[in-house]
Amino acid sequence: MYTQRISIEINTKVNKDELIDEFGLLMSFYRSNGQTQGRIESQYIENDKIVCLPFTLEKHSLEKKNNNYYVNKQTEKIENLCNSKLTFKTVGKSYDSYKTPCECEKSDFYILITNYITIESPVTCGTCNKSVPLYRFPIYHDYGYLPILSWETNYVSCDSLQMNCEVGERWALNQMQKINSQLSKQGLEICRKIAELTLVPTFYYLHNYKKVKEDQSERHCPNCNEKWDLKKQIHDCYDFKCDNCNIISTISPNT
Ligand SMILES: [Zn+2]
Ligand SMILES: [Zn+2]
């Protein structure tokens, strides 16, 4: 993950509270276009400069060619309010072990997956198992990817409840592990649409909490009931995959 520095010199008498609101809006447009990661970034005023430090998946995520209509429109508004131009600088990588995002020319399949702690893209590449920046996909909805990020937030909320254990643990776990839950339905619809837009099969990651019986014959897809265990584990992680239903899962770590 990269940390970027977006800043702008304030050369007018614009009200700074108003400017901070407009800047916040720009950051939310970057986020809904998949150009920045994470839920909140540092933002501050330094003398007559407003500065923001978002995370991005690629060094060049904030390049103009990745902008959408809303990002461009809001950039223009802020530049007019300040009578200066936004400047961009890469501060550095956030940690050493960070993998670059997917660089496959064509992915065999995609996986919709996230968890309570990650700020990577909710779509990973089935070929290389790396994150796929959302802005690489055809526009999903209204110049951006908000419905995918809405599923992501819902999933993160459920995962946080089940990690914290005290409030709504069972309900949240069922949202994550039952194929017909509202959360799974929302995710499966997103997978269907990504596949339609990209012509690449897109799998929904179904959380598996329950220990699976040792007998292989007991392992069946929870949707179509066909056998779905993989002969060989994929990416040291996935043990089950149903190509009829586009769902993928793992053996539960619980014993
Ligand atoms: Zn890839
Ligand atoms: Zn199935």
Side-chain angles (χ1 to χ4, degrees), residues 102-104 107 125 127-129:
C102 163
E103 276 162 13
C104 300
S107 303
C125 167
T127 307
C128 68
N129 203 30

Side-chain angles (χ1 to χ4, degrees), residues 1-51:
M1 202 76 57
Y2 289 89
T3 304
Q4 310 280 359
R5 185 179 196 268
I6 308 179
S7 62
I8 191 163
E9 202 103 32
I10 310 165
N11 292 330
T12 57
K13 296 260 173 289
V14 61
N15 178 303
K16 285 184 178 156
D17 290 336
E18 184 195 336
L19 188 61
I20 283 174
D21 287 348
E22 296 294 348
F23 215 88
L25 204 53
L26 173 66
M27 295 320 299
S28 73
F29 290 148
Y30 271 127
R31 202 152 39 240
S32 61
N33 195 38
Q35 287 172 277
T36 60
Q37 304 301 124
R39 298 167 248 297
I40 197 153
E41 55 274 315
S42 305
Q43 192 173 324
Y44 55 91
I45 287 194
E46 178 188 70
N47 302 322
D48 276 333
K49 214 177 223 183
I50 183 160
V51 182

Side-chain angles (χ1 to χ4, degrees), residues 4 18 22 26 32 38 51-52 61 75 85 99 116 121 124 153 170 172 180 190 193 200 209 215 226 244-245 254:
Q4 310 280 359
E18 184 195 336
E22 296 294 348
L26 173 66
S32 61
V51 182
C52 191
S61 296
T75 299
K85 296 280 180 199
K99 298 182 289 184
Y116 77 107
S121 167
T124 62
T153 314
R170 182 167 294 267
N180 55 2
I190 288 165
K193 192 159 173 190
V200 174
Y209 183 78
D215 180 0
E226 295 286 318
N244 302 324
C245 310
N254 298 301

